[in-house]
Amino acid sequence: MDRTGANRESDLVARAQAGDERAFEDLVRAHADAVYGHALRFFGDPSAAEEATQEVFIKVYRSIGSFDGRSAFSTWLFRVTRNVCLDIARSRKRTPVPTDLASFDPPRASDASDAVVLAHAVEAAVRTLPPEEREALGAIALFGLSYEQAADALGVPAGTVKSRVFRARKALAVLLTDSGGGA
């Protein structure tokens, strides 16, 4: 995020903390796709991802006052998203998508456009990654966190995040090449 975007986000957070509901709505609009995308990759189920997304923003609404600005808002939001997904999985006995490559189901290109087929192939391939690699890739690619911010959010060294993202990208390249999905 550029300086102007960071300033705008800081302003939105401050206004939301002061009770400005419009500012909170703007934060939701700015981050809803990243939160939903992470939840979808975690569960592999659109309805579970929608439920998790709603839970995340309810939790953020209730606890935005505790956001102290020591990290970027997106880093804090990633932590909240990750924790909500883990809590839902534990409490409802939903499990993350299996990482067994045998369950990989390549997309069928019936009447769908190439872009839709490619998006489906990418999502299917991402779901085959180990959870640690999915989380690291999601933090970097969906939430736009730096390696250092992702490391802080995941509680691992930055080098570990870099290696997980590297392994995830390498595995995706192989899977998408093998499935004819591009890359």
Side-chain angles (χ1 to χ4, degrees):
M1 177 178 309
D2 67 5
R3 197 71 168 142
T4 306
N7 289 341
R8 183 179 188 300
E9 185 166 270
S10 294
D11 178 57
L12 287 174
V13 169
R15 289 178 28 221
Q17 287 176 321
D20 183 340
E21 289 187 19
R22 173 113 176 153
F24 182 78
E25 290 171 9
D26 289 346
L27 285 170
V28 170
R29 274 192 288 282
H31 296 283
D33 288 344
V35 171
Y36 177 80
H38 182 77
L40 182 61
R41 287 179 178 163
F42 185 90
F43 292 109
D45 172 22
S47 65
E50 288 173 13
E51 176 186 346
T53 301
Q54 289 175 353
E55 287 295 319
V56 165
F57 286 112
I58 289 170
K59 189 166 194 147
V60 167
Y61 183 79
R62 290 179 178 157
S63 61
I64 196 159
S66 69
F67 174 68
D68 59 14
R70 283 187 286 175
S71 63
F73 178 75
S74 56
T75 302
W76 182 74
L77 181 61
F78 174 77
R79 277 192 206 114
V80 172
T81 303
R82 180 177 185 244
N83 291 338
V84 165
C85 288
L86 291 170
D87 290 347
I88 289 172
R90 279 189 288 257
S91 71
R92 305 230 171 100
K93 306 241 184 304
R94 284 194 179 129
T95 55
V97 178
T99 58
D100 180 13
L101 290 178
S103 69
F104 177 68
D105 184 24
R108 297 182 193 150
S110 55
D111 294 331
S113 72
D114 289 342
V116 172
V117 171
L118 179 59
H120 179 74
V122 169
E123 285 302 319
V126 167
R127 286 193 300 267
T128 67
L129 297 173
E132 306 82 35
E133 291 177 14
R134 271 198 317 260
E135 280 191 328
L137 185 65
I140 301 299
L142 289 174
F143 282 82
L145 302 183
S146 69
Y147 287 106
E148 291 75 22
Q149 290 170 323
D152 183 45
L154 294 169
V156 297
T160 301
V161 174
K162 288 178 184 179
S163 64
R164 288 177 181 174
V165 170
F166 175 80
R167 285 193 308 266
R169 287 178 175 158
K170 186 175 177 181
L172 288 175
V174 169
L175 286 169
L176 292 171
T177 300
D178 289 349
S179 72

